[in-house]
Amino acid sequence: MKAFVVFLIFALLLAASSFASGAIVEYSFTVKDLNVTRLCKIQTITTVNGMVPGPIIDVRENDSLVIHVFNASPHNITLHWHGVFQRRSQWADGPEYITQCPIRPGHEYIYRFTITGQEGTLWWHAHSALLRAYVYGGLIIRPRPGALYPFPKPYKEVPIILGEWWKSADMNKIFNGIQVSGDSVPISDAFTINGMPGDLYNCPHDLMFKLKVKQGKTYLLRIVNANLISQMFFKVANHKFTVVAVDAGYTTPYITDVVVIAPGQTTDVLLKADQPEGSYYMASSAYISAAISADNTTTRGIVVYKGASRDHKTHPLMPVMPALNDTPLAYKFYANLTGLAGGPHWLDCPSEVDERMFITCGLNLAFCPKNGTCGGPQGFKLSASMNNVSFVTPSNSGSSILEASYRNKPEGVYTRDFPNHPPEFFDFVSPNITLDLTKIFAPKSTKVKTLKFNSTVEIVFQNVVFLGAENHPMHLHGYDFYVLAQGFGVYDAKRDMKNFNVINPQKRNTIAVPVGGWAVIRFKANNPGVWFLHCHIDVHLPWGLAMAFEVQNGPTPETSVPPPPPDLPKC
């Protein structure tokens, strides 16, 4: 009996130890080119495991991921685990030449990281060239065993991954053109839901995503916008949503009949099947904030109730979609979200600020190469900048920025002089500055901003309209941040600080800075390393709408960047 008691105690301790450390979850990703048929056309695209979207990673909070990536494609590749903090795993973050050199064709790399302090929906995607067009997938983080959602458990959880599709665009050739002549990405030919275009694209072979539901049951839709370019509206006919999380952070429940979601963002919503038995279209169309040509098509899936009659299955109801340029609706959705203060993993917004930055972001022009032909206005090359600095990825330096930072040898890779504010203050949203050739050119360089460990940083993102107003989804790697306020026009501290929400602000890793407006964020720099900050409209990244933070080590090994793994790809 005594031996049994000792064994029982040992078993309980072992179980407790296993519970504390989480599980080790392994995946194998093979990146390869594949011939696929969509929109009645065969084309070659780059995929993971032959799938679009790629595999969905499904873990619990506190689990450790081991992802074996083999590059069987002819392209350089890196993968980014969008929104994961990467504490003590900084080398696994993934942006090409920022935290690692690319995985060359025929080579492999193992990404290893533990997910702690996060629950909800994130995602993963390529962070090389424009390969994110088809190399992406969901990353679902459930509560650890014994923990509960801060809302009633749904009957079923359903990933809804929004994507774009091009009939014939070669993303690698397009990226090369962007590098040389500042070209743009062609307008997509279709949008997709879970890789399926739906029934509005005149191709009878295309599939449509179908969600079968039971009357009275509640479904958790995990929505990801994986688009290269377009922000999206998402609706289900005759149904409302309750938003319960954004970017893997719980929100105060918010009831709406439309979700607005920018590239890089995720939104978790509860959908209650509370309508008469029948079938209802789910639909997604673009929110186009800029006065530019864009994909104005609609992708559709279908929600079908169990027990619906044949007639009700074949004649679904269609939601009324918002106008493409409905900025008031988009702003209402984004601005009304608040964080679930006191909920799982909630940390109060820091009240004291150590570092204040005012960062302008927008599009610019650059001079066309001699004897070249460029795609920008007046024969110039399209460009972009933050604080009049157009970021250049150090692809020819022989090192990533993180490697150079770790060895404290930045020479020839980057400089530590990214400015806290633009060189000049003026009316950033006035139509009078459009194509102002005295201000529109931004010098190219690789500048970072160095932050002291554990300092609190506040950033005002201010849109600049040199080439017209546009909503820019700004993504910060390695952190969540608090969204204190957002608005239109030029930010005015005296006027706008009084509207800051520091009690229950929404937490994000990607903020859609309002078109012709501004947003204020705050975060604590308690994660050492090099962390990319960039617009998640992918064409804006090679144009230069990016910078990086170099966060210094803390006082202990646990608060310092660990040595690089032995299999880290070489430049």
Side-chain angles (χ1 to χ4, degrees), residues 114-131:
T114 299
I115 297 177
T116 56
Q118 297 178 276
E119 292 176 19
T121 304
L122 295 176
W123 63 302
W124 59 267
H125 59 81
H127 217 298
S128 301
L130 297 176
L131 294 176

Side-chain angles (χ1 to χ4, degrees), residues 226-524:
N227 288 350
L228 280 186
I229 300 171
S230 300
Q231 300 195 55
M232 302 300 288
F233 295 115
F234 179 82
K235 298 185 75 173
V236 174
N238 284 22
H239 290 72
K240 289 188 176 182
F241 308 114
T242 301
V243 179
V244 293
V246 294
D247 292 1
Y250 292 117
T251 62
T252 307
Y254 174 63
I255 298 174
T256 176
D257 68 346
V258 61
V259 168
V260 190
I261 185 167
Q265 293 183 333
T266 69
T267 304
D268 291 359
V269 301
L270 298 176
L271 171 74
K272 188 171 184 180
D274 58 1
Q275 294 300 301
E277 291 179 352
S279 58
Y280 303 82
Y281 278 120
M282 63 170 66
S284 189
S285 59
Y287 162 48
I288 303 170
S289 62
I292 57 174
S293 299
D295 188 338
N296 63 356
T297 65
T298 299
T299 180
R300 297 201 297 199
I302 191 170
V303 177
V304 179
Y305 278 67
K306 183 179 180 179
S309 67
R310 181 178 180 84
D311 182 62
H312 284 153
K313 286 181 180 179
T314 56
H315 296 88
L317 294 176
M318 177 65 186
V320 177
M321 300 306 291
L324 293 171
N325 61 349
D326 196 341
T327 289
L329 178 63
Y331 180 79
K332 177 184 176 183
F333 178 86
Y334 286 136
N336 280 345
L337 297 173
T338 55
L340 187 62
H345 311 295
W346 175 263
L347 296 173
D348 288 336
C349 178
S351 57
E352 301 295 326
V353 177
D354 303 301
E355 192 88 50
R356 297 183 189 275
M357 303 181 71
F358 187 103
I359 299 181
T360 56
C361 49
L363 305 186
N364 300 79
L365 294 178
F367 290 100
C368 193
K370 189 175 181 179
N371 299 322
T373 301
C374 292
Q378 301 182 26
F380 290 109
K381 181 178 178 178
L382 289 168
S383 181
S385 71
M386 299 174 68
N387 276 354
N388 207 49
V389 176
S390 188
F391 186 85
V392 178
T393 302
S395 57
N396 297 319
S397 67
S399 171
S400 71
I401 297 179
L402 180 58
E403 289 174 273
S405 174
Y406 179 78
R407 297 182 175 91
N408 197 25
K409 293 183 177 180
E411 296 81 8
V413 183
Y414 68 95
T415 59
R416 294 178 168 124
D417 55 347
F418 183 85
N420 277 4
H421 51 76
E424 181 183 357
F425 282 83
F426 48 90
D427 187 351
F428 299 111
V429 299
S430 169
N432 295 328
I433 69 169
T434 302
L435 286 177
D436 183 342
L437 299 185
T438 67
K439 295 183 173 69
I440 202 168
F441 297 99
K444 299 283 184 180
S445 58
T446 308
K447 296 179 183 287
V448 309
K449 168 69 177 178
T450 301
L451 299 173
K452 291 182 178 179
F453 178 78
N454 226 29
S455 59
T456 297
V457 184
E458 184 176 290
I459 301 174
V460 177
F461 289 119
Q462 174 66 59
N463 188 218
V464 183
V465 300
F466 286 139
L467 292 178
E470 187 169 1
N471 186 307
H472 292 283
M474 301 302 297
H475 171 49
L476 176 60
H477 291 225
Y479 293 93
D480 282 345
F481 49 75
Y482 301 90
V483 181
L484 304 187
Q486 49 194 307
F488 297 99
V490 177
Y491 174 77
D492 183 323
K494 291 183 179 179
R495 178 193 65 202
D496 298 319
M497 283 184 68
K498 62 186 179 186
N499 296 320
F500 280 12
N501 176 6
V502 296
I503 305 302
N504 64 341
Q506 59 178 289
K507 291 173 67 178
R508 286 276 193 185
N509 61 57
T510 306
I511 171 69
V513 180
V515 53
W518 52 269
V520 183
I521 70 167
R522 190 180 292 176
F523 69 98
K524 184 174 283 291

Side-chain angles (χ1 to χ4, degrees), residues 89-163:
S89 55
Q90 290 87 342
W91 304 98
D93 190 45
E96 187 177 50
Y97 297 110
I98 308 302
T99 59
Q100 71 167 95
C101 297
I103 307 169
R104 305 292 183 184
H107 291 73
E108 57 187 312
Y109 179 45
I110 301 175
Y111 290 93
R112 304 174 188 269
F113 54 93
T114 299
I115 297 177
T116 56
Q118 297 178 276
E119 292 176 19
T121 304
L122 295 176
W123 63 302
W124 59 267
H125 59 81
H127 217 298
S128 301
L130 297 176
L131 294 176
R132 181 167 75 79
Y134 304 113
V135 179
Y136 61 82
L139 200 169
I140 296 171
I141 310 166
R142 305 178 192 279
R144 65 176 66 187
L148 302 175
Y149 292 126
F151 48 81
K153 184 178 180 181
Y155 176 73
K156 189 177 181 181
E157 302 182 17
V158 184
I160 302 289
I161 303 180
L162 307 178

Side-chain angles (χ1 to χ4, degrees), residues 143-201:
R144 65 176 66 187
L148 302 175
Y149 292 126
F151 48 81
K153 184 178 180 181
Y155 176 73
K156 189 177 181 181
E157 302 182 17
V158 184
I160 302 289
I161 303 180
L162 307 178
E164 289 165 308
W165 202 276
W166 289 262
K167 283 185 180 180
S168 56
D170 184 324
M171 289 301 167
N172 289 284
K173 288 183 179 179
I174 290 169
F175 181 76
N176 292 336
I178 290 171
Q179 299 289 80
V180 174
S181 58
D183 292 341
S184 187
V185 175
I187 299 169
S188 57
D189 296 295
F191 296 116
T192 60
I193 297 174
N194 293 339
M196 305 173 212
D199 60 351
L200 289 178
Y201 292 102

